[in-house]
Amino acid sequence: MELFDEIAAKVKGQNKTIVFPEGEDKRVLGAAVRLQNDGLIKPILLGKRADIEKTAKDNGWDISALSILDPAEYPEEDKKAMFDALLERRKGKNTPEQVTEMLKDVSYFGTMLVYMGKADGMVSGAVHSTGSTVRPALQIVKTKPGAHRISGAFLMIKGDQRYIFADCAINIELDAPTMAEVAVQSADTAKLFGIDPKVALLSFSTKGSAKGDMVTKVAEATKQVHDMAPDLPADGELQFDAAFVPEVGELKAPDSKVAGHANVFVFPSLEAGNIGYKIAQRFGGFTAVGPILQGLNAPIADLSRGCNEDDVYDVALITAARA
């Protein structure tokens, strides 16, 4: 896709290092080989060397140029430095014994490589759950200054169409402050992909056409977005058709600068967002790239366990671009 050609051109030659905690997985290894061969990033694969080499041999891949790191064989001096750094980071929350156990988990180990500056970013989730990827990230790299929460956005692509859907991965229930922060985060993500953000905060109501606490929440979130980012084109509450279809937007919200032209869609709950992006993907023929974790202090990406090799490749490119 043209978009990923643009991203590849942006990251090529920057030598960004991305760690893959699931290096033994065929999809991950295949993507890492391609990324290395294309000269786009420098992958670090975590896992048992013998298992990674076997997978490579079975698929005819040359991995001689790849960096493979078996946490069990990590040099004692480096292991001690990582232990001390994590113990300090988790001071008062985890015992030395607990920290030792945490570092046996490749998700924690990979996150520590990012935290300690030995990797620019991390891509995980092909095998592990979202919680297994997000928990270490929140405990170690934490949120950006001024951010109170993280969220998960999807880049939706079809031909030359590009949209952002959020939150589709992290926050089960969004109150008004959470929805507002997701909106601002998603606008920043949109800019990464060349999208000039016009943010719609979605509801089953447009400008008071229905009543209820769920409607009030979205209207309040919209006010908070305007306070947080006064120059950001954002509007709500809007029904999806009012946000997306110019004729409907003009009819239902004639004074809106966003209605009918939105390209960043913020859903009022994880339930709605997750269902929405999958409908667009399966019925609408859009490619869904993500989830892209927003609000973290470092670029850490969470794959879907149903991902394929191309998904890993694309998400790694995005992670390198964010680094």
Side-chain angles (χ1 to χ4, degrees):
M1 295 180 185
E2 181 183 340
L3 171 62
F4 287 98
D5 291 338
E6 294 171 11
I7 296 174
K10 178 179 178 180
V11 305
K12 193 161 189 174
Q14 294 190 10
N15 294 319
K16 295 297 182 182
T17 303
I18 304 297
V19 60
F20 297 85
E22 301 154 329
E24 298 165 3
D25 185 88
K26 177 182 174 182
R27 298 162 294 173
V28 173
L29 182 55
V33 169
R34 288 168 53 197
L35 289 161
Q36 175 77 36
N37 291 343
D38 292 345
L40 296 175
I41 68 169
K42 299 172 71 174
I44 299 175
L45 295 167
L46 301 187
K48 295 181 179 178
R49 182 177 295 274
D51 292 344
I52 293 173
E53 289 176 345
K54 182 181 185 304
T55 301
K57 183 178 180 181
D58 290 345
N59 289 277
W61 294 328
D62 179 6
I63 60 170
S64 59
L66 287 178
S67 175
I68 300 172
L69 201 166
D70 184 343
E73 298 175 357
Y74 204 45
E76 286 301 322
E77 184 178 342
D78 294 333
K79 191 180 295 183
K80 177 68 164 57
M82 183 178 285
F83 171 86
D84 290 343
L86 181 54
L87 185 63
E88 176 63 27
R89 192 64 164 165
R90 299 296 296 161
K91 193 172 184 178
K93 296 178 180 178
N94 291 108
T95 65
E97 293 76 17
Q98 288 172 328
V99 168
T100 298
E101 289 302 309
M102 290 160 75
L103 288 176
K104 293 178 182 178
D105 183 326
V106 289
S107 296
Y108 277 94
F109 193 97
T111 304
M112 283 302 296
L113 291 177
V114 176
Y115 174 65
M116 298 177 74
K118 296 180 182 294
D120 296 302
M122 185 176 88
V123 174
S124 189
V127 177
H128 296 89
S129 68
T130 292
S132 295
T133 301
V134 171
R135 191 177 304 108
L138 285 174
Q139 292 177 345
I140 298 168
V141 302
K142 302 188 178 181
T143 55
K144 292 179 179 178
H148 302 94
R149 53 192 57 82
I150 68 168
S151 59
F154 276 86
L155 169 65
M156 309 299 293
I157 312 170
K158 183 179 180 182
D160 60 357
Q161 299 179 75
R162 305 177 189 179
Y163 305 105
I164 298 293
F165 283 17
D167 181 355
C168 304
I170 301 296
N171 299 285
I172 295 176
E173 294 292 339
L174 282 72
D175 57 12
T178 302
M179 195 173 182
E181 191 160 347
V182 170
V184 175
Q185 290 173 349
S186 300
D188 289 339
T189 297
K191 293 173 186 176
L192 177 66
F193 302 114
I195 300 170
D196 183 17
K198 296 178 180 61
V199 182
L201 288 85
L202 299 176
S203 177
F204 58 86
S205 168
T206 296
K207 298 298 183 180
S209 64
K211 304 295 182 184
D213 292 343
M214 289 183 286
V215 175
T216 302
K217 174 188 76 173
V218 181
E220 176 58 33
T222 304
K223 293 177 184 177
Q224 293 185 28
V225 171
H226 293 158
D227 291 338
M228 295 166 65
D231 296 329
L232 175 64
D235 203 3
E237 81 283 4
L238 295 172
Q239 292 163 284
F240 185 84
D241 57 352
F244 187 67
V245 181
E247 295 82 4
V248 179
E250 179 63 30
L251 178 66
K252 292 188 174 183
D255 298 325
S256 175
K257 296 179 180 179
V258 170
H261 306 284
N263 49 28
V264 177
F265 301 93
V266 181
F267 293 82
S269 69
L270 178 61
E271 181 179 42
N274 191 269
I275 292 170
Y277 99 79
K278 289 184 177 179
I279 289 175
Q281 182 184 34
R282 302 299 180 180
F283 276 9
F286 278 80
T287 297
V289 181
I292 300 161
L293 297 183
Q294 307 178 133
L296 284 171
N297 231 343
I300 291 175
D302 174 39
L303 297 161
S304 165
R305 278 175 284 181
C307 68
N308 58 35
E309 182 183 304
D310 288 338
D311 295 331
V312 181
Y313 185 99
D314 291 344
V315 170
L317 271 183
I318 291 170
T319 305
R322 297 177 75 201

